[in-house]
């Protein structure tokens, strides 16, 4: 650097190293503080004070120690941190797996090509497929009614192209196909993460067929001027028998603006 830029190169390198060291100390101190407060809880104040003293000691030692010692110690510290994280991941994996298996919502995980990577027990109950039978199968052809597949393709494209945070908390209502050929109305929330082999899409799904039928029945009762709950309940029972024939990808104006789906009227959902 000095050969090309003269004295400016030396100054630039010195300032860059100073800023890198300062920001690294602040970031690692923040991470350590959060972890200590979580582990020690009521006794966190004293533990954080000890951490501060340790950080000050490290800074003082690092400023006078040889460069070789500093880098060797840094490598050792990073290795210990990585080892601790790996042990924690191994210990938490069974818990995370039990949470996934015990989730009440159907969870389907697919890769960027649309192939199923995970299918939890709730999804098995909702769709009627065994997990072993759907692993690696394209979700598009298995779970999406044929007439809605172009909308599904567009939805997946939008999720993959959107920044990670833009997909969180966005829910849509969509028709899904079960093993026996029937259709159910699902509330779906998408999330995208970067996996080992590229983007992964996680779909959290809940069967709202009966809830939708109840809403339709109550709306019809209001339109017909009925106030008797028993009359509305009777209409709901009739709607339940026809709920499997409802064929819409339902989305209100908010979802249309976010996901590009056309809104479906209440009357359309009964056809």
């Amino acid at each position: 650097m000095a050969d090309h830029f003269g004295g400016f190169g030396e100054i630039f390198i010195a300032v860059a190293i100073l800023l890198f060291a300062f920001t690294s100390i602040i970031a690692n101190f923040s991470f350590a503080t959060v972890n200590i407060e979580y582990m020690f809880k009521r006794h966190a104040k004293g533990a954080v004070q000890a951490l501060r003293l340790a950080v000050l000691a490290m800074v003082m030692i690092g400023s006078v120690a040889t460069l070789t010692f500093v880098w060797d110690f840094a490598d050792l510290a990073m290795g210990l941190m990585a080892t601790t994280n790996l042990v924690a991941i191994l210990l938490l994996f069974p818990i995370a797996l039990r949470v996934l298996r015990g989730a009440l919502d159907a969870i389907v995980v697919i890769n960027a090509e649309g192939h199923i990577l995970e299918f939890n027990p709730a999804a098995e109950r909702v769709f009627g497929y065994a997990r072993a039978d759907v692993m690696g199968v394209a979700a598009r052809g298995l779970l999406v009614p044929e007439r809605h597949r172009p909308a599904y393709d567009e939805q997946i494209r939008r999720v993959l192209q959107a920044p990670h945070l833009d997909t969180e908390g966005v829910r849509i209502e969509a028709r899904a196909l079960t093993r026996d050929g029937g259709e159910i109305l699902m509330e779906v929330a998408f999330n995208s993460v970067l996996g080992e082999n590229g983007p992964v899409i996680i779909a959290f799904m809940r069967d709202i067929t009966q809830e939708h039928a109840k809403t339709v029945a109550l709306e019809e009762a209001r339109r017909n001027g009925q106030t008797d709950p028993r009359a509305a309940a009777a209409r709901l029972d009739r709607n339940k028998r026809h709920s499997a024939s409802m064929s819409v990808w339902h989305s209100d104006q908010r979802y249309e603006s976010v996901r590009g789906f056309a809104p479906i009227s209440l009357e359309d959902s009964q056809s």
Side-chain angles (χ1 to χ4, degrees):
M1 182 71 77
D3 293 338
H4 294 284
F5 299 101
F8 171 76
E10 295 178 351
I11 296 173
F12 176 80
I13 292 297
V15 172
I17 292 176
L18 173 64
L19 294 176
F20 174 76
F22 179 75
T23 55
S24 297
I25 292 171
I26 296 299
N28 284 286
F29 176 75
S30 299
F31 298 151
T33 301
V34 171
N35 286 313
I36 286 176
E37 289 176 346
Y38 175 78
M39 290 188 296
F40 290 92
K41 294 182 171 58
R42 288 180 298 178
H43 306 289
K45 187 175 181 180
V48 170
Q49 187 65 28
L51 173 66
R52 290 171 180 167
L53 294 175
V55 171
L56 289 175
M58 292 292 180
V59 172
M60 292 178 62
I61 294 172
S63 63
V64 297
T66 64
L67 187 61
T68 301
F69 172 81
V70 171
W71 282 115
D72 288 345
F73 185 82
D75 289 342
L76 175 63
M78 288 298 178
L80 290 174
M81 183 176 66
T83 302
T84 303
N85 288 335
L86 289 173
V87 172
I89 290 172
L90 291 174
L91 293 175
L92 290 173
F93 177 74
I95 299 174
L97 191 59
R98 285 198 298 271
V99 171
L100 176 63
R101 297 295 186 196
L104 297 177
D105 288 348
I107 300 176
V108 179
V109 182
I110 63 173
N111 59 18
E113 289 72 38
H115 298 145
I116 296 175
L117 303 178
E118 184 54 61
F119 203 76
N120 76 334
E124 292 181 309
R125 292 192 296 271
V126 169
F127 294 106
Y129 292 101
R131 179 179 180 275
D133 295 335
V134 302
M135 297 298 289
V137 178
R140 182 182 189 272
L142 191 71
L143 306 177
V144 182
E146 184 174 358
R147 63 189 177 283
H148 298 311
R149 288 171 189 170
Y152 167 84
D153 294 337
E154 176 66 14
Q155 174 71 17
I156 296 301
R157 185 188 66 80
R158 288 174 179 268
V159 171
L160 289 173
Q161 290 182 352
H164 172 66
L165 293 178
D166 287 355
T167 63
E168 291 186 348
V170 177
R171 292 178 176 269
I172 65 170
E173 294 179 2
R175 301 301 305 179
L177 197 63
T178 61
R179 183 171 188 171
D180 60 9
E183 292 185 12
I184 54 178
L185 185 63
M186 305 289 288
E187 183 182 62
V188 187
F190 290 100
N191 194 7
S192 61
V193 297
L194 187 61
E196 239 178 55
N197 301 313
V200 173
I201 298 175
I202 307 172
F204 301 88
M205 297 180 285
R206 185 166 59 93
D207 185 357
I208 60 170
T209 305
Q210 301 304 333
E211 293 179 20
H212 183 74
K214 181 179 180 180
T215 302
V216 171
L218 293 175
E219 181 65 24
E220 286 184 353
R222 281 194 291 268
R223 284 204 303 265
N224 295 331
Q226 297 178 5
T227 58
D228 185 357
R230 289 174 296 181
R235 188 171 298 275
L236 173 60
D237 290 336
R238 289 195 295 273
N239 281 344
K240 285 181 179 179
R241 292 193 293 270
H242 296 287
S243 61
S245 64
M246 293 189 300
S247 56
V248 298
W249 270 71
H250 173 75
S251 178
D252 63 13
Q253 291 290 350
R254 291 175 302 162
Y255 298 143
E256 179 189 15
S257 63
V258 175
R259 296 302 178 197
F261 293 153
I264 305 298
S265 68
L266 195 62
E267 290 77 13
D268 292 337
S269 68
Q270 295 175 272
S271 61

